[in-house]
Amino acid sequence: MWKKKKDRLLGVVLLLTTTGYPLAQERPVGKPNVILIYTDDVGFGDISANGAKAIKTPNIDRIAEEGLLFTNAYATSATCTPSRYSMLTGEYAWRKTNTGIAPGNSPLLIPTGSSTLPGIFQQAGYQTGVVGKWHLGLGPIEGMDWNGDIKPGPLEVGFNYSFIIPATGDRVPCVYVENHNIVNLDTADPLYVSYTEQIGNEPNGRDHPELLKMRPSHGHDQSIVNGISRIGYMSGGHSARWIDEEMADVLTHKAVDFIKLNHENPFFLYFATHDIHVPRAPHPRFSGKSNMGPRGDVILQLDGCVGEILNVLEEYGIAQNTIVLFTSDNGPVLDDGYHDQAKEKVGGHLPSGDLRGGKYSAFEGGTRVPMLIKWPQVIKPGQVSSALISQLDFKASFAQLLKVDLSALDLADSRDYMKTLLGKKRKGRQYVIQQSLNNTLSLVSRRWKYISPSEGAKIQKNTGIELGNAPEHQLFDLKRDPGEKNNVAKKKEKIVRKMVAYLDDIVSD
Ligand code: NG6
Ligand code: CA
């Protein structure tokens, strides 16, 4: 008995690998590997752990079976760039200008030299890597030469290794960047990028729809790469252009390589998948497998990638002392700019679950996202927690876990909720703030959800998403009305006043 306890304390894991060779991994429990799987546009209801019936995500669900499922976890924002900015810096994106959806030629948005989530891992002696979607800008304010050294970028804000999609799958440049360089770029065919005018003489999607294998529904009609037209123009760089159908495999293999290379030392891997963002172009082995069109297929593909990551941890005998944290940058969207039958084939599937709204929205569907965590050595399996949790707190929480001196850190808005993240405490945050596409701020506290007045459209024309905008105060009782159907602001004026004051207080902090 005492031996068992000692083993647990020391974090000594002795496992037989599938090849039969024993792998000894000695590491203090306080220094687990950490893999943050950050998905794109996966809605609360898109995984079977959260009740999806028409689609099964057994590998993602396994994280909760072996650990903990959060039912009240939030991204800070209803779009990608601000959610990522807040998570990686610990500062609400709405405190900083220019942190909305970044164009593909945006300069780096995170100031170099600032305190970041990966930087905290570095301070604790970890190898840190980012693989996947970046979308936080690259290069200096004066603009970037894509043919030279691409910096500052991830390596200048806390990562030792990076293999990224510079912006999004639907924005140019459609190339991978590894550390400071474009992968496979031929110097004889330099790459140029413009977000203002057509460059080069290749046909674009607007004038030549007949060349496309996936037609845009709104926007996305500029440069054509791999038969798909994008946002923005690019010319050159032909040997470096990605093939969308291979992207999930390329990224997963890079993530797996990083794990293999670093399995003997503590590592932090930020694995930011392109799935399930548009354009949804699954690998042929997933194509047509969901009966829900490409959006369903890329959910299956994402689940397959998660399975590969979990398997390599087992294979290398490091699963016990590795934290796998899975979550999403914002809520779901069906038609996000391409005709890919997402709407037509969704059937009874509810991407936001019972929540109202989706990506871009001030309603819960915009920011309440799936969150699952496992750490077999520490977290009891099969738990569900309804504690209020925000991605904003990853920074302070991991700093606490790694025993980095919190008082010497700029924690910004991030606070330590590690005990809640590990299922040791049922209590989470007192409140979360949500930022929608048009920067409307909402506040969730206890049973109440307050949405600030806003002049924006009620429904986003192109996506059909209910944005949650209204010129008057909105207050919902999430306990009775999780679908935010009944605005009780007029009946509960006192609570509205309290919520307004509470929000003002935090904003002016
Ligand atoms: C929008 C794009 C949408 C998507 C989004 C960013 C149009 C019409 N729509 O502007 O397709 O790219 O930006 O998504 O261009 S996010 O998940 O990265 O925030
Ligand atoms: Ca997103």
Side-chain angles (χ1 to χ4, degrees):
M1 188 59 198
W2 70 270
K3 171 118 191 356
K4 222 172 160 186
K5 198 166 169 200
K6 194 173 159 226
D7 276 2
R8 219 176 37 233
L9 281 175
L10 284 171
V12 175
V13 184
L14 194 62
L15 287 175
L16 282 178
T17 63
T18 45
T19 51
Y21 294 108
L23 270 180
Q25 177 79 19
E26 279 194 46
R27 178 100 49 84
V29 165
K31 289 248 168 146
N33 307 307
V34 177
I35 301 177
L36 169 55
I37 304 177
Y38 206 55
T39 63
D40 204 353
D41 299 359
V42 173
F44 186 87
D46 276 326
I47 61 169
S48 37
N50 280 347
K53 295 271 184 295
I55 197 124
K56 291 276 174 261
T57 53
N59 292 301
I60 297 169
D61 298 3
R62 212 176 109 195
I63 301 172
E65 282 154 23
E66 295 175 12
L68 175 56
L69 174 76
F70 290 99
T71 55
N72 272 308
Y74 289 83
T76 61
S77 316
T79 57
C80 167
T81 303
S83 283
R84 283 162 210 252
Y85 177 88
S86 307
M87 183 175 72
L88 293 183
T89 65
E91 179 189 41
Y92 287 117
W94 43 261
R95 294 205 194 278
K96 194 171 154 75
T97 50
N98 270 333
T99 51
I101 299 173
N105 59 356
S106 161
L108 179 67
L109 298 173
I110 301 175
T112 57
S114 60
S115 141
T116 62
L117 176 66
I120 280 168
F121 281 96
Q122 277 185 336
Q123 247 178 287
Y126 279 57
Q127 281 299 312
T128 59
V130 51
V131 173
K133 174 175 175 177
W134 181 241
H135 209 190
L136 287 163
L138 287 170
I141 298 186
E142 309 81 64
M144 207 179 39
D145 175 7
W146 290 95
N147 305 292
D149 263 4
I150 297 171
K151 63 180 189 188
L155 300 196
E156 286 66 40
V157 295
F159 290 103
N160 300 113
Y161 173 73
S162 94
F163 185 98
I164 54 169
I165 296 169
T168 63
D170 56 348
R171 282 174 175 73
V172 301
C174 301
V175 295
Y176 300 113
V177 175
E178 187 166 32
N179 297 324
H180 287 148
N181 297 102
I182 290 177
V183 179
N184 288 335
L185 183 66
D186 176 359
T187 47
D189 180 28
L191 171 76
Y192 298 104
V193 171
S194 166
Y195 271 77
T196 47
E197 59 194 358
Q198 161 96 35
I199 47 171
N201 46 20
E202 289 176 61
N204 63 50
R206 186 178 53 253
D207 300 332
H208 290 280
E210 76 284 358
L211 299 176
L212 301 174
K213 60 182 169 194
M214 196 189 297
R215 279 188 308 115
S217 57
H218 51 273
H220 302 95
D221 61 359
Q222 300 177 341
S223 277
I224 302 175
V225 175
N226 186 36
I228 302 172
S229 48
R230 318 275 168 162
I231 307 172
Y233 297 99
M234 65 184 269
S235 71
H238 287 84
S239 56
R241 296 180 180 198
W242 68 48
I243 294 169
D244 302 78
E245 292 80 354
E246 292 172 358
M247 187 177 276
D249 285 342
V250 168
L251 298 179
T252 304
H253 292 160
K254 286 289 169 188
V256 164
D257 285 349
F258 180 84
I259 294 168
K260 288 183 178 172
L261 189 69
N262 293 292
H263 76 278
E264 285 182 341
N265 311 303
F267 65 81
F268 168 63
L269 171 63
Y270 170 44
F271 179 37
T273 69
H274 158 69
D275 285 328
I276 59 168
H277 199 277
V278 296
R280 302 170 184 128
H283 187 274
R285 72 182 186 281
F286 292 104
S287 190
K289 293 288 156 39
S290 69
N291 291 326
M292 222 187 262
R295 186 175 186 277
D297 298 343
V298 295
I299 295 178
L300 298 183
Q301 176 167 278
L302 170 68
D303 189 64
C305 295
V306 171
E308 285 187 47
I309 300 286
L310 298 183
N311 289 345
V312 76
L313 300 179
E314 304 279 351
E315 192 189 325
Y316 277 71
I318 56 173
Q320 292 294 311
N321 199 18
T322 298
I323 294 179
V324 178
L325 176 53
F326 175 101
T327 187
S328 179
D329 66 340
N330 53 251
V333 53
L334 294 177
D335 178 353
D336 205 17
Y338 293 96
H339 290 289
D340 63 5
Q341 296 189 295
K343 242 182 184 158
E344 295 79 351
K345 294 208 160 178
V346 72
H349 174 67
L350 299 172
S352 297
D354 292 332
L355 309 176
R356 191 167 178 185
K359 181 173 180 174
Y360 309 115
S361 178
F363 287 132
E364 291 290 287
T367 50
R368 200 160 131 202
V369 287
M371 197 188 287
L372 304 78
I373 187 171
K374 81 179 184 96
W375 181 9
Q377 218 163 61
V378 170
I379 301 179
K380 273 201 302 199
Q383 297 182 72
V384 179
S385 169
S386 58
L388 207 53
I389 280 281
S390 169
Q391 294 167 3
L392 185 67
D393 295 327
F394 290 170
K395 182 170 136 182
S397 302
F398 280 106
Q400 171 69 29
L401 181 75
L402 303 178
K403 302 205 168 53
V404 172
D405 181 6
L406 294 189
S407 62
L409 275 181
D410 175 12
L411 287 176
D413 298 298
S414 185
R415 296 292 173 266
D416 166 33
Y417 285 96
M418 192 37 93
K419 286 203 170 105
T420 314
L421 270 172
L422 299 179
K424 295 192 186 308
K425 244 188 174 179
R426 287 293 152 196
K427 213 168 150 295
R429 288 189 139 249
Q430 292 289 317
Y431 66 88
V432 296
I433 297 183
Q434 303 153 302
Q435 174 189 18
S436 71
L437 175 67
N438 71 351
N439 295 322
T440 298
L441 297 184
S442 307
L443 178 71
V444 173
S445 183
R446 296 168 195 267
R447 66 197 294 171
W448 301 109
K449 158 79 175 270
Y450 166 73
I451 305 180
S452 309
S454 147
E455 296 301 330
K458 280 204 170 356
I459 295 182
Q460 197 177 38
K461 202 172 102 250
N462 292 325
T463 62
I465 288 174
E466 291 188 289
L467 292 171
N469 297 317
E472 66 275 355
H473 296 292
Q474 295 180 84
L475 183 73
F476 300 98
D477 180 346
L478 291 181
K479 207 166 167 193
R480 283 203 191 148
D481 177 25
E484 298 168 281
K485 291 277 184 270
N486 303 308
N487 179 8
V488 295
K490 287 216 168 75
K491 277 191 254 160
K492 304 272 181 195
E493 282 182 358
K494 220 167 125 189
I495 293 176
V496 169
R497 274 201 299 277
K498 269 194 182 164
M499 297 291 271
V500 171
Y502 200 177
L503 187 57
D504 282 351
D505 207 37
I506 301 159
V507 170
S508 57
D509 221 8

